[in-house]
Amino acid sequence: MHTKPGTEIRFTGFPDQNHPVGCSAAEISKHNMDLSYTLEEMMKRYRYAEAEDDFLGELQMSFVCFVVGQVYDSFEHWKRLIHLLCSCDDALVARHTFFSKFITVLHFQLNHVPRDLFVDIVSRTNFLTTTLQVFFSNLECSDAPIALVEKGKKFAAHLTKKFKWSFQGDPDDYAPVVVET
């Protein structure tokens, strides 16, 4: 199935790069691990006063278009937004109210999906567990207000109880890799 030009959903685009122009190699690495800069750049694309609510609205819109309308592009956009938010570190402190709202939004979204919706049928992996594991790890190690950290812990416990997902340990992507020469 192909979308007719002009009828596609026009979500906010992601920046072309995750770092400012002219960064050193170390800064590029930092910005690729902590996507707070990318989040700030995307926030600039909304009306200034309501940027955070607009961002969460787009997160909800993409989710609804996927679940109700079965629009795969919306699912992919939702996944990218979730990955972006879960990969922020510095922004957890600077935008702690926003991230508290994000946890609430995600909580209600996940209450409307079956347990196996996010499992890749080929690799048998779940992108959401890995992404949220990074988020909860970032949250625990951050200087974010204790209320946000506690809300994150409660959300993780809820997901563990409801979906039987485990967020203990490091994701497999973070494990050491042995390279034989």
Side-chain angles (χ1 to χ4, degrees):
M1 182 161 84
H2 299 285
T3 306
K4 290 183 181 180
T7 64
E8 67 277 350
I9 301 171
R10 292 179 282 278
F11 291 118
T12 303
F14 281 75
D16 292 333
Q17 53 192 23
N18 295 334
H19 55 84
V21 176
C23 281
S24 68
E27 291 171 324
I28 291 172
S29 293
K30 179 200 178 302
H31 288 298
N32 281 313
M33 290 187 293
D34 174 8
L35 296 179
S36 296
Y37 171 81
T38 306
L39 175 63
E40 294 304 321
E41 288 301 302
M42 285 193 71
M43 290 285 188
K44 290 177 185 175
R45 297 175 184 202
Y46 297 105
R47 293 183 314 267
Y48 185 73
E50 296 89 22
E52 291 181 349
D53 290 338
D54 289 349
F55 192 99
L56 292 173
E58 184 163 330
L59 179 70
Q60 292 181 55
M61 176 70 174
S62 60
F63 181 79
V64 168
C65 288
F66 166 64
V67 173
V68 176
Q70 299 182 359
V71 179
Y72 183 72
D73 290 342
S74 295
F75 177 61
E76 286 300 317
H77 188 72
W78 181 81
K79 279 176 42 177
R80 286 187 73 189
L81 292 174
I82 295 292
H83 174 75
L84 169 66
L85 293 174
C86 289
S87 300
C88 289
D89 198 7
D90 293 343
L92 289 170
V93 175
R95 294 186 177 271
H96 57 88
T97 305
F98 168 74
F99 279 96
S100 180
K101 290 178 183 178
F102 163 64
I103 291 171
T104 301
V105 167
L106 194 55
H107 168 79
F108 286 106
Q109 287 179 347
L110 296 180
N111 280 337
H112 294 283
V113 297
R115 178 177 294 175
D116 61 349
L117 179 68
F118 303 110
V119 177
D120 184 313
I121 60 172
V122 177
S123 66
R124 305 295 256 171
T125 58
N126 183 331
F127 93 92
L128 201 50
T129 56
T130 305
T131 305
L132 285 172
Q133 191 170 13
V134 171
F135 177 66
F136 295 136
S137 175
N138 286 347
L139 199 52
E140 265 188 54
C141 298
S142 74
D143 292 329
I146 194 72
L148 178 60
V149 175
E150 289 301 315
K151 188 171 187 172
K153 286 180 181 178
K154 287 180 184 176
F155 183 48
H158 167 73
L159 294 175
T160 300
K161 183 178 178 183
K162 180 175 176 146
F163 294 108
K164 309 290 187 250
W165 293 344
S166 173
F167 301 106
Q168 303 302 318
D170 289 329
D172 293 338
D173 293 350
Y174 286 44
V177 177
V178 177
V179 179
E180 296 181 26
T181 56

